[in-house]
Amino acid sequence: MTNHNEAAGTSGDSDINGRGRHAGDSAGHAPSGHGGRGAHDGHDLPGQHQVTLRTPAELADALPYLLGYRPEDSIVLVALHDGERRGRFGGRARLGIPAHADDWPSVADQLAQGLVKGSERRGARPESMVAYLCQEPGTGESGRDVMERLRPLAQFLRTACGRLDVPVIEALCISDGRFWSYCCPGQGCCSSEGHPMGLPGTSVLAAAATYAGLQVRGSLREFTARFIPWEGAAAPEQQTALDTASMALVPRILDGEGRAEVAEETLGLARRIMKRFADAPPVSGTRPADLRDDGLLEHDEAATLILGLQDRTTRDRAAEWMEGDEAGQALRLWRALARRCVGPYGEHAAAPLTLAGWVAWSTGDELEAREALAMALGADPDYLFARLLHQACNEGLDPESIRRCLRAERTGRTGADAEQSSGPDRPTPRDVAEPPGTPNRRRRRARTAGIGTPRGSGRPSGAGSLRRRRPTDEAAPGGEGPGRVPEAASERARGRRKGGRRVVGEET
């Protein structure tokens, strides 16, 4: 399993007051509890609604509302800002729990440093943290067994935060419908069997969130299922279609003239499928909707689009479908293509996942954006476009600056096409990213760069400050088969992703 940090939930500070106590206390009393822990806070609710969290049970219940979904197999850190001893929730960071305990110290350090540094970049260093460990029991395990097994990880988190002078004032383990506090001094206030979680939707916070229009969008597993490649009976057929498309398209893309033709064919096919999606009758529920879209997309069509989007310029033109009615259909298509990157084509998912993350961010869904972009980096850690977008989204930047660049690219290309039609002797602009006056030899080289393997097609050609040249951007195809990553490079990428050591993005 690829373990990575995905910051979720809304960014910035929030305004639910909380008291980290095991015994109930009225709001406004001086915070105390285990070791004299301070007050904690929660999440902004529209209309200046405030909910006081007095106990660890209420903190445990608050977690899905802080993230926007129910985390699974997750480490979550929540920053607290102590305004007059009324802790306000700030940034949140989530990371999958590494399977190997040897990785826990480094992961704890990365997660703590990422959240603290991200908060500092926004000008608000946290004063303290709340930590959560969420994992369901394995075969033969109980919730208490999980809690004891993860106790060293909780201590690594507390130590890592302590080295940054940001103490963890509450650390909770949530498993099998119960929770435990790692900060309990063991003086009889907590049962060794833990405390039962309340029924979902029955707490004061749940009521306040419902009144404010906030909702929990299912579990993390349900959320990521929309992007995970097929593994069923249809996967071999899709892989065969990808093999066939790779043999046919990669030689054409490597040819200067053929590359432009493939780009137009790819974008034209994408437009037709988006129209097909738009004409399909609506269905209720995310799973039925995804199954409907899967049924509307043929194997060979998906393969053609996946291979075509490995070209950087084609992908950047596809990124222009980022607003209005076409954004929703484009997002459905990018999700469907990510699900078709089966078998050895897993790294090819970086392109559709990045496009899905970009469209989600552009249309205001930061939760899906962060998840899709983190998964893109899980597919290809060197995919620069995903890395830059993920960093920008995590830092709370406005996507409008990127939208303006992409609109300008579309307008400039449209104007060039009109000029070409009125003046047949003028040369056709092959690459919207190349500056005027580029010599012919350099122009041809620019057109053929960045295709073959998914790694390296990671830079948007016209995205302003995101424009950056790296050697990996110019990778050529190689390895065992057209359009495939060389085996050694693929092994290195998998090695980088093993053990949960890599943290992509930090916080919200």
Side-chain angles (χ1 to χ4, degrees):
M1 183 179 88
T2 300
N3 296 298
H4 47 259
N5 174 305
E6 305 122 6
T10 60
S11 62
D13 298 326
S14 50
D15 203 13
I16 293 179
N17 304 319
R19 309 282 172 184
R21 296 179 49 81
H22 281 63
D25 190 13
S26 60
H29 286 192
S32 58
H34 294 335
R37 292 192 311 267
H40 355 308
D41 160 33
H43 192 61
D44 259 344
L45 298 178
Q48 300 301 315
H49 299 289
Q50 294 187 6
V51 176
T52 299
L53 305 180
R54 298 182 176 89
T55 68
E58 292 172 337
L59 280 175
D61 181 75
L63 181 58
Y65 298 95
L66 296 175
L67 298 179
Y69 57 86
R70 296 188 300 276
E72 300 158 320
D73 292 321
S74 297
I75 311 166
V76 180
L77 280 182
V78 181
L80 300 179
H81 302 281
D82 190 10
E84 298 180 355
R85 299 183 65 82
R86 297 171 56 217
R88 290 180 298 106
F89 280 147
R92 281 82 79 189
R94 193 203 72 83
L95 179 67
I97 297 176
H100 303 291
D102 291 344
D103 297 321
W104 291 356
S106 61
V107 164
D109 287 337
Q110 292 174 7
L111 194 61
Q113 291 176 12
L115 183 53
V116 171
K117 291 179 180 178
S119 298
E120 288 176 338
R121 283 196 299 267
R122 292 192 301 271
R125 179 181 174 84
E127 279 78 22
S128 55
M129 298 275 195
V130 175
Y132 298 86
L133 299 178
C134 307
Q135 191 174 75
E136 290 305 299
T139 303
E141 272 192 320
S142 65
R144 182 180 178 182
D145 294 334
V146 173
M147 181 270 295
E148 293 293 349
R149 176 167 52 80
L150 297 180
R151 186 182 290 277
L153 176 55
Q155 187 58 39
F156 288 134
L157 288 169
R158 298 177 71 181
T159 302
C161 292
R163 283 195 293 265
L164 299 172
D165 293 325
V166 183
V168 173
I169 61 174
E170 181 59 274
L172 299 175
C173 177
I174 300 175
S175 180
D176 198 24
R178 307 182 75 84
F179 73 89
W180 291 259
S181 171
Y182 290 115
C183 297
C184 179
Q187 297 175 355
C189 64
C190 295
S191 168
S192 61
E193 298 303 318
H195 299 278
M197 298 282 293
L199 293 176
T202 61
S203 67
V204 174
L205 177 60
T210 301
Y211 179 76
L214 301 177
Q215 57 179 330
V216 175
R217 296 167 60 179
S219 68
L220 178 62
R221 184 177 294 110
E222 294 167 348
F223 203 74
T224 57
R226 309 196 76 178
F227 301 110
I228 293 176
W230 289 352
E231 294 182 350
E237 297 178 15
Q238 183 61 65
Q239 182 175 334
T240 299
L242 285 162
D243 289 339
T244 303
S246 179
M247 294 289 290
L249 291 179
V250 171
R252 294 178 61 201
I253 295 173
L254 291 177
D255 174 73
E257 298 298 327
R259 182 186 184 200
E261 295 174 357
V262 172
E264 293 302 326
E265 292 169 7
T266 300
L267 295 170
L269 176 59
R271 291 187 189 97
R272 293 194 297 274
I273 294 174
M274 287 165 58
K275 177 65 166 56
R276 191 185 305 166
F277 282 4
D279 293 340
V283 296
S284 177
T286 58
R287 180 60 176 163
D290 290 342
L291 290 174
R292 173 204 57 197
D293 293 345
D294 288 339
L296 294 171
L297 182 62
E298 299 294 335
H299 293 313
D300 59 335
E301 293 174 330
T304 297
L305 291 174
I306 290 168
L307 269 296
L309 289 172
Q310 303 309 308
D311 174 55
R312 184 174 62 246
T313 303
T314 306
R315 180 209 62 201
D316 292 349
R317 290 179 62 181
E320 295 169 4
W321 300 325
M322 59 191 172
E323 52 193 346
D325 293 338
E326 63 186 6
Q329 313 313 324
L331 182 55
R332 289 166 58 185
L333 176 58
W334 308 145
R335 291 189 194 117
L337 292 180
R339 295 192 293 270
R340 300 297 186 100
C341 295
V342 298
Y345 291 88
E347 291 188 357
H348 287 63
L353 284 168
T354 301
L355 288 170
W358 160 238
V359 175
W361 184 32
S362 177
T363 55
D365 190 345
E366 293 186 7
L367 178 58
E368 180 165 359
R370 292 190 183 93
E371 188 63 39
L373 293 169
M375 292 180 71
L377 290 170
D380 183 356
D382 295 327
Y383 204 73
L384 186 58
F385 191 19
R387 183 170 296 280
L388 295 175
L389 287 175
H390 196 239
Q391 180 180 353
C393 184
N394 276 340
E395 292 183 356
L397 302 183
D398 188 348
E400 178 59 24
S401 60
I402 305 174
R403 285 195 293 260
R404 282 197 298 267
C405 292
L406 292 173
R407 290 190 201 108
E409 293 287 350
R410 174 183 282 184
T411 301
R413 188 171 57 253
T414 302
D417 290 343
E419 189 174 350
Q420 168 67 17
S421 63
S422 64
D425 293 334
R426 292 179 178 271
T428 301
R430 301 286 185 182
D431 189 332
V432 299
E434 72 182 59
T438 304
N440 290 338
R441 181 179 299 176
R442 179 183 170 190
R443 185 176 301 159
R444 181 177 182 88
R445 187 166 59 247
R447 287 199 302 270
T448 58
I451 185 61
T453 68
R455 178 180 297 110
S457 57
R459 180 172 61 88
S461 60
S465 62
L466 293 184
R467 190 169 177 174
R468 184 183 303 172
R469 182 173 298 278
R470 285 173 44 147
T472 55
D473 286 344
E474 308 303 325
E480 303 180 11
R484 301 285 187 84
V485 178
E487 187 64 25
S490 181
E491 288 298 328
R492 287 195 299 272
R494 283 192 288 270
R496 283 196 298 271
R497 295 194 294 273
K498 287 181 180 179
R501 291 182 182 275
R502 190 174 54 80
V503 177
V504 292
E506 298 104 19
E507 78 300 319
T508 65

